[in-house]
Amino acid sequence: DTGVSQDPRHKITKRGQNVTFRCDPISEHNRLYWYRQTLGQGPEFLTYFQNEAQLEKSRLLSDRFSAERPKGSFSTLEIQRTEQGDSAMYLCASSRGDRGTYNEQFFGPGTRLTVL
Amino acid sequence: GENVEQHPSTLSVQEGDSAVIKCTYSDSASNYFPWYKQELGKGPQLIIDIRSNVGEKKDQRIAVTLNKTAKHFSLHITETQPEDSAVYFCAASKSTSGTYKYIFGTGTRLKVLA
């Protein structure tokens, strides 16, 4: 399978704990995105990377959230001191990012986080 | 701020009928409009997209139209089948302009009744 993969698929944690999610993009894609989706809503943009550089962050990304893409391949999203409001599906997407191309993003299956 | 409105929120059609989902965007600089299908427990799957330099695009039973003046775009599914049942999302983006995030609509739950 050469699509976007995410791990874990499900995570249940207690309020106040830290969690980390991983995303592996399609291998030749140099752009990687994180979105958050709550029940009954469309995905909301959190942040994106061009190779290893984090180029844009949403105001939704509070200081408890941090994302990295250290070698320009896989990415991690960490949430510190989780709150019940963090419960959501966290989606990762990737795109080629060639100059002049429109930006078709391909999504992974998501990580569903439940904060008790 | 940037916003995409999507209607209807739910849509039920008989198998074989057509379904139409409509979206309106606020940022006139948007130039790329993808549509995604999301099944329960899965990530969104790109089904069709349209760029701002064309008014219509078709792929088998699926078509998308764009009216830049009205900042309006629509998804048309003909000859619907039960496997078309899912949640559909429209999105708008200013691709090629340095910001690549998608602004999504709130989704349309399509039910195709056999």
Side-chain angles (χ1 to χ4, degrees), chain A residues 52-67:
Chain A
E52 67 276 7
Q54 188 174 17
L55 297 186
E56 187 171 355
K57 293 193 289 187
S58 164
R59 286 173 293 177
L60 292 175
L61 211 66
S62 76
D63 57 5
R64 295 186 298 105
F65 288 69
S66 62

Side-chain angles (χ1 to χ4, degrees), chain A residues 2-14:
Chain A
T2 57
V4 178
S5 61
Q6 293 187 244
D7 184 70
R9 295 292 309 277
H10 303 274
K11 178 71 177 179
I12 299 174
T13 191
K14 293 183 179 179

Side-chain angles (χ1 to χ4, degrees), chain B residues 14-31:
Chain B
Q14 289 294 132
E15 182 178 359
D17 287 350
S18 296
V20 180
I21 302 171
K22 299 181 178 182
C23 290
T24 303
Y25 60 98
S26 62
D27 189 339
S28 57
S30 297
N31 59 4

Side-chain angles (χ1 to χ4, degrees), chain A residues 9 31 33 35 37 40-43 45 48 56 91 100-109, chain B residues 31-32 36 38 41-44 46 49 51-52 89 95-96 98-102 104-106:
Chain A
R9 295 292 309 277
R31 291 195 192 129
Y33 313 79
Y35 291 82
Q37 185 177 27
Q41 299 297 315
F45 172 79
Y48 103 91
E56 187 171 355
L91 293 164
T101 63
Y102 287 80
N103 188 36
E104 297 91 343
Q105 295 181 19
F106 298 90
F107 282 81
Chain B
N31 59 4
Y32 176 68
Y36 285 84
Q38 188 172 28
K42 297 184 178 180
L46 179 68
D49 56 14
R51 303 171 185 181
S52 60
F89 291 97
S95 290
T96 74
T99 176
Y100 301 99
K101 65 184 178 185
Y102 286 178
F104 281 87
T106 50

Side-chain angles (χ1 to χ4, degrees), chain A residues 30 48-55 67-73:
Chain A
N30 57 29
Y48 103 91
F49 292 83
Q50 173 93 27
N51 298 312
E52 67 276 7
Q54 188 174 17
L55 297 186
E68 295 183 342
R69 195 182 182 199
K71 296 183 179 179
S73 56

